Amino acid sequence: YIPPTVTELNGEIFDSGGADGGMYYPVEIVGGAAGSVIEEYCNERGIDFIVVSEDAVDDFYATSVDDLRERLKKQIEYEKAFFVDDPENGYQAKFCDGVLEFFGLNGTAVVKDTRIKINKPRRQKVQRIVIGQGITEIADFAFDDYENLESVFIGADVCKIGTYGFNGQNHSDSYGCRKLASIVVDEKNKWYTAIDGVLYTHDMQTLVKYSPAKPELYHEVDSRVRHIAEFAFEYANTLQCLKVGKGCVSVGHAAFLNAEALRHAYFADSVTEWPERFPFVGEWGFERPYRIRG
């Protein structure tokens, strides 16, 4: 337990690698508030952080490590719902039964990096996200590190989605939305649409995001699509064959980053605009052995 009076953490003070044969042990840090220096420290190092409200601090003084673990376990078990208030970005959100739902406060709300408000144990519980009324923008990395997210519903008011709206900041196994299998857009939305788990601009000119866990082996890009966005097929983990027909003219940077199941890709001659770096790259920047046709 670290009290909220702590304002600075120096060095790798919780690095548990050491003399005992190189063993590493999981660490949980308890204390402080969401957005505190303690949570920032934990997020940077992948350490689980449990927020404790000021009026509950006394409950976390324990007589032993086992005692503290039991108390933490009970808190996580009982914390079936929570509420998020972010007036600076103009939204509120509530979580219940695996669903995290966002609401705009003034009609121009922006959902930014939600890790500031929602710690990792809470993010791990989210299976579905609903972007509700009044949310107008999903910023880059808004849903970074939602490792159990399976579906997203985008409301009628969303008019802007960042290039990295559903991507992780370091594009590793631990970040992003690798289990995302379904994207649905409100039929009243005038800027975006979704077909069978694939997100497009409303005019179908750009393929914005392919749900990485969409359960299909073969995908043929809609003939109306002219542009495949950056990171559009990132971590597509079951897709093995892809066909991009006439009409498409450009492919974005790292469009197929870490799409490790993909083995065959056909591109029509109309695709003439490629990024400076080849779009089929692995996690460490190495190009993978794809068979290209066209």
Side-chain angles (χ1 to χ4, degrees), residues 217 236 238-242 256 259-265 280 289-290:
L217 302 179
T238 61
L239 184 64
Q240 295 184 17
C241 301
L242 175 76
F256 305 93
E260 296 187 359
L262 189 60
R263 287 295 175 268
H264 301 273
F280 298 93
Y290 296 93

Side-chain angles (χ1 to χ4, degrees), residues 191-195 198-207 221-227:
W191 297 273
Y192 293 94
T193 188
I195 301 175
V198 183
L199 178 65
Y200 306 89
T201 53
H202 194 269
D203 59 8
M204 296 295 295
Q205 294 283 294
T206 301
L207 190 158
V221 173
D222 192 285
S223 60
R224 292 169 288 180
V225 170
R226 290 180 56 79
H227 312 284

